[in-house]
């Protein structure tokens, strides 16, 4: 068994004013982030993608297993294969599999089965969740809280890209098994989210929606309702 040595940890202690300033500026930065579906073909240096992956990989994870893999695709031929396979699945989903309620929920955003951005963007990053790993002897080793951990890493990935002035979309072509085949990933890895990464196309637009206010997304010291017997 590996035992990690413990080392002292005291992040810089900020004054409340300084904390508030930083909180405000980080919020303002993140509140400007929007999902993009119309990308330009402008190149993005590989180093920026590497930096976003490094940042994502700082996420907390169950038993510190870091059960994520960021598979980066820049090859136009592979991007084309991904587009063809994703559109085939999405077409079936939009035309046959998605119930009306779901289609109605998406109607205001205006999505369709067509995904030209999968070929336009300089990079596609497919995040895989690693369901289990292997120990030094090659025995299967279980990972923990894999979805939560990978979701947290994806959140940091998105934040890092946005901080660098890059745009992305949290894309989940469904079902996503084709990504394992095209990218040759082993069976302990399952596709989780696909991120096209680049810059918005000239003239790109996003739906003009706001965000839920704090009061709607938070509760402070709630008490159980004494009349609720459910
Ligand atoms: N995967 C489809 C459908 C889709 C589903 C949800 I929920 C969205 O927020 C957006 C799209 C697609 O990518 O079009």
């Amino acid at each position: 068994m590996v035992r990690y040595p413990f080392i002292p940890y005291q992040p810089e202690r900020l004054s409340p004013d300084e904390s508030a300033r930083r909180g405000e500026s980080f919020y303002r930065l993140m509140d400007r982030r929007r999902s993009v579906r119309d990308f330009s073909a402008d190149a993005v240096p590989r180093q920026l993608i590497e930096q976003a992956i490094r940042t994502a990989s700082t996420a907390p994870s169950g038993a510190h297993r870091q059960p994520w893999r960021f598979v980066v695709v820049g090859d136009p031929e592979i991007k084309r294969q991904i587009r063809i396979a994703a559109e085939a699945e999405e077409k079936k989903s939009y035309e046959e599999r998605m119930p009306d309620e779901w289609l109605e929920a998406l109607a205001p955003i205006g999505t369709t089965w067509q995904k030209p951005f999968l070929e336009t963007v300089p990079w596609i990053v497919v995040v895989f969740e690693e369901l289990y790993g292997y120990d030094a002897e090659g025995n299967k080793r279980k990972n923990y809280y894999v979805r939560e951990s990978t979701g947290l890493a994806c959140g940091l990935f998105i934040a890092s890209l946005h901080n660098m002035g890059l745009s992305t979309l949290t894309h989940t072509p469904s079902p996503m098994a084709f990504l394992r085949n095209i990218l040759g990933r082993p069976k302990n890895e399952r596709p989780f989210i696909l991120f096209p990464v680049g810059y918005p196309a000239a003239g790109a637009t996003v739906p003009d929606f706001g965000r839920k206010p704090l009061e709607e997304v938070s509760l402070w010291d709630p008490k159980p309702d004494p009349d609720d017997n459910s």
Side-chain angles (χ1 to χ4, degrees):
M1 184 185 62
V2 181
R3 267 189 186 281
Y4 299 115
F6 277 64
I7 50 175
Y9 175 63
Q10 289 293 334
E12 185 189 1
R13 184 69 168 254
L14 305 173
S15 71
D17 280 354
E18 178 60 11
S19 291
R21 268 193 295 277
R22 292 203 198 182
E24 175 68 16
S25 85
F26 190 61
Y27 162 65
R28 281 175 184 275
L29 169 70
M30 292 312 298
D31 195 35
R32 289 197 297 271
R33 184 204 59 78
R34 297 299 308 267
S35 291
V36 166
R37 291 185 166 80
D38 186 11
F39 286 88
S40 94
D42 292 353
V44 169
R46 173 192 166 120
Q47 287 71 19
L48 301 187
I49 307 298
E50 290 177 353
Q51 199 64 287
I53 296 171
R54 263 192 215 103
T55 303
S57 226
T58 68
S61 63
H64 192 54
R65 290 287 160 78
Q66 299 182 251
W68 45 71
R69 274 295 157 85
F70 288 74
V71 179
V72 186
V73 178
D75 179 336
E77 173 51 28
I78 313 288
K79 285 190 276 186
R80 199 178 69 85
Q81 287 177 24
I82 291 176
R83 176 185 179 180
I84 289 168
E87 287 188 333
E89 292 292 4
E90 292 285 87
K91 190 165 193 296
K92 263 191 235 149
S93 290
Y94 276 85
E95 291 178 356
E96 298 162 34
R97 295 192 282 234
M98 288 157 74
D100 286 346
E101 189 182 5
W102 193 351
L103 293 171
E104 279 161 29
L106 289 178
I109 304 173
T111 59
T112 72
W113 61 264
Q114 281 145 319
K115 309 296 175 191
F117 58 79
L118 292 172
E119 280 192 273
T120 321
V121 275
W123 301 104
I124 290 174
V125 180
V126 184
V127 184
F128 286 75
E129 45 181 343
E130 189 193 62
L131 306 171
Y132 54 89
Y134 297 94
D135 66 16
E137 284 86 49
N139 304 307
K140 271 191 194 177
R141 194 175 75 149
K142 194 175 150 34
N143 287 333
Y144 301 94
Y145 294 101
V146 170
R147 309 219 90 194
E148 293 84 347
S149 303
T150 309
L152 290 163
C154 288
L156 294 186
F157 182 68
I158 292 167
S160 173
L161 292 174
H162 178 63
N163 185 48
M164 292 190 285
L166 296 169
S167 288
T168 189
L169 168 69
T170 308
H171 181 40
T172 51
S174 168
M176 286 202 282
F178 68 87
L179 290 166
R180 259 195 59 214
N181 302 331
I182 293 176
L183 301 171
R185 301 312 304 152
K187 65 178 187 301
N188 63 328
E189 292 182 20
R190 188 162 64 195
F192 186 67
I193 293 175
L194 182 161
F195 293 104
V197 181
Y199 297 101
T205 58
V206 295
D208 186 15
F209 51 55
R211 304 194 195 276
K212 290 181 180 175
L214 183 64
E215 303 72 53
E216 215 180 310
V217 298
S218 63
L219 294 161
W220 301 71
D221 296 327
K223 304 279 186 302
D225 176 353
D227 301 327
D228 182 2
N229 302 314
S230 63

